[in-house]
Amino acid sequence: MTHRPAVIPGLALSAMLIACQSAIAAQNEKKPETKPAQAPKQLKLGGPGIEQERSFPKIVSGKWTGPKLADGQPDVQGHWSNTIANHNNFTDPQGGILNDPNPNRVAKGARELRAPSRVSDPVDGQVPFQPWALEKVKEFQANFHNPVKPEYVEPLARCAPAGIPKSLYWHGYEINQYPGYVLFQFNSGTRIIHLDGKPHLPDNIKLWNGDSRGHWEGNTLVVDVANHNGKALFGRSGEFISENGHIQERYIFSNDGKRYTYEALLTDPTVYTRPFTITVPARKWTAKDQPNGWHFEVEPATHAGKETILDQYERICAENNGSFGLGAVEQAKK
C-alpha cells in the first residue's frame, strides 16, 4: 500500500491556496499615488535658515538722500546679511561642493532655480583661474571631507576669520560707524575700513581680512583692500586670492536704508587670467524682524530705556563650531 495518491491532491490544494492568496494580494495592493506637480517654492526673503533670492533689485551709485551722521557719513548702521545663501559654494550658492566624493549637501533643484553665481563678470559665472590655481581649487574640493593635509581644512573650522568677501555671506553682521572709520562686526571677527586717507600698511604685513582704505561717494562706500594673507577662501568650494591681490569694493546703499549691493573687482595676476567682478545683494534687519539664528543673530538687550537695543551674540568659536572639513565633530541628532 502506498500513500502517494493522498499526497498529490494535498500539493495541488496548497498550490490553489497560494494562487488565490496571490490574486487577493494583487487586488489589495495599492496602486502608487500620482502626486500632483508641485509649484516652485516661493522663497521668503531673509527667512529662517539659509534662504535665497534668484533675482534682486539693481541699486545704482548716486546722491545719498537718507540720514547722515554728525561727521557727514551716510548713516547705514545696523544689522545686515546677504540674501543669496551662504558660503558653501561661491559660484553656485545652492549647488553643493563640486568634485567632493562624499558630499553631504547636494544641488537643490535645477540650476535656473538656484541662486545666481556671485561672479557677475565674466558672464559664465566662473572665476577666471589660471590652470594651476584651478587645479588647486579642485584638489581642495576633492579633499574637503577628508583633509589629509592642513591646507585642505576649511579655515573657519580652525576659527580663523572668514576673509573678504566670504565674511559678507557667512552669517549676518553688524555695521557701526565712527568718525574716520567704518566697523564691520562679523561672526568670525571684525574689520575696520579706514576713511582718513592714510596709505595701506607696508607690504610685509598680511591680514586675514586684508587692509581696507575707503571713502564715501554719495550713497556708495568705495574701498580698496590689499595686504591679504592668501589663506582665506571664498567658500567651501575653495576659491581664493593671493597675497598679491587687490579687491576694489563698492557698497551701494539704497536711500531708504533697507538694502545695499556689494560689487567688487578682484585683480590678482598671480592667480587669475583677468580681473573679474562679483555681486552680492544684502538687506538690513531691524527690531521688527524675528531673530532666526542665521541672518539675524540678536536678542533685545535688557535696559531701563524704552528704545529697543539689539544685542548681537558673542561667539566662542571652539564651543560653537560645527562639522565641516572634519575640523570638528558634529553630534548625532537625537
Side-chain angles (χ1 to χ4, degrees):
M1 186 176 180
T2 177
H3 297 286
R4 186 176 182 81
V7 172
I8 294 174
L11 291 173
L13 180 59
S14 298
M16 292 175 63
L17 289 173
I18 292 173
C20 290
Q21 291 171 350
S22 299
I24 293 172
Q27 290 178 352
N28 293 334
E29 185 178 355
K30 293 183 178 180
K31 296 182 179 179
E33 297 181 358
T34 302
K35 295 182 178 179
Q38 293 183 342
K41 179 184 177 183
Q42 296 298 316
L43 300 173
K44 181 181 179 182
L45 171 60
I50 307 170
E51 294 290 342
Q52 63 179 16
E53 283 187 308
R54 289 190 286 271
S55 62
F56 43 86
K58 175 72 174 179
I59 305 174
V60 298
S61 294
K63 185 178 179 181
W64 174 254
T65 60
K68 291 187 176 182
L69 300 173
D71 66 345
Q73 291 189 61
D75 185 355
V76 297
Q77 297 180 109
H79 298 270
W80 296 84
S81 76
N82 98 97
T83 65
I84 56 168
N86 77 346
H87 72 304
N88 279 316
N89 188 316
F90 180 58
T91 60
D92 187 358
Q94 296 288 320
I97 302 174
L98 295 174
N99 304 307
D100 182 355
N102 299 299
N104 61 354
R105 290 177 174 82
V106 298
K108 297 182 178 179
R111 181 65 187 91
E112 61 271 19
L113 298 179
R114 304 197 295 268
S117 173
R118 296 182 176 96
V119 177
S120 49
D121 176 44
V123 294
D124 66 359
Q126 300 301 310
V127 178
F129 280 118
Q130 296 186 22
W132 74 268
L134 182 59
E135 288 304 311
K136 182 177 179 178
V137 169
K138 291 180 178 178
E139 185 177 295
F140 175 84
Q141 295 170 349
N143 289 278
F144 181 77
H145 281 107
N146 184 26
V148 295
K149 296 180 180 178
E151 56 264 37
Y152 300 149
V153 179
E154 155 73 65
L156 279 173
R158 296 180 288 179
C159 302
I164 302 300
K166 187 168 69 177
S167 293
L168 300 173
Y169 45 83
W170 175 217
H171 282 261
Y173 50 91
E174 186 173 5
I175 296 177
N176 296 113
Q177 293 169 273
Y178 302 89
Y181 66 97
V182 178
L183 173 67
F184 281 71
Q185 298 189 72
F186 299 117
N187 177 287
S188 58
T190 59
R191 174 195 183 196
I192 294 177
I193 297 175
H194 300 273
L195 306 176
D196 54 8
K198 291 182 179 177
H200 278 297
L201 295 170
D203 286 342
N204 63 338
I205 297 177
K206 305 296 184 184
L207 306 171
W208 279 93
N209 288 329
D211 179 47
S212 298
R213 308 288 163 168
H215 64 276
W216 285 95
E217 296 180 0
N219 66 342
T220 304
L221 177 61
V222 181
V223 185
D224 185 82
V225 193
N227 300 77
H228 305 278
N229 68 2
K231 299 177 182 178
L233 303 177
F234 298 168
R236 293 180 180 177
S237 43
E239 295 86 351
F240 65 101
I241 191 169
S242 79
E243 295 182 348
N244 303 319
H246 267 259
I247 302 178
Q248 295 170 282
E249 303 177 303
R250 297 179 67 85
Y251 297 79
I252 309 171
F253 290 86
S254 62
N255 277 306
D256 62 7
K258 295 181 178 180
R259 299 188 64 123
Y260 79 77
T261 298
Y262 173 83
E263 296 180 352
L265 179 68
L266 285 77
T267 304
D268 189 348
T270 305
V271 178
Y272 314 131
T273 60
R274 51 160 279 192
F276 69 99
T277 303
I278 69 172
T279 301
V280 179
R283 66 154 288 191
K284 190 175 186 179
W285 296 79
T286 71
K288 297 179 180 178
D289 295 304
Q290 184 70 29
N292 57 32
W294 188 267
H295 300 281
F296 193 36
E297 301 172 296
V298 301
E299 64 180 27
T302 300
H303 66 108
K306 294 182 179 180
E307 179 186 3
T308 300
I309 298 176
L310 299 175
D311 191 12
Q312 188 166 15
Y313 296 143
E314 294 182 358
R315 287 183 176 271
I316 302 175
C317 179
E319 295 181 356
N320 185 60
N321 216 344
S323 175
F324 45 86
L326 299 184
V329 177
E330 191 173 29
Q331 293 184 346
K333 295 181 179 178
K334 298 181 179 179

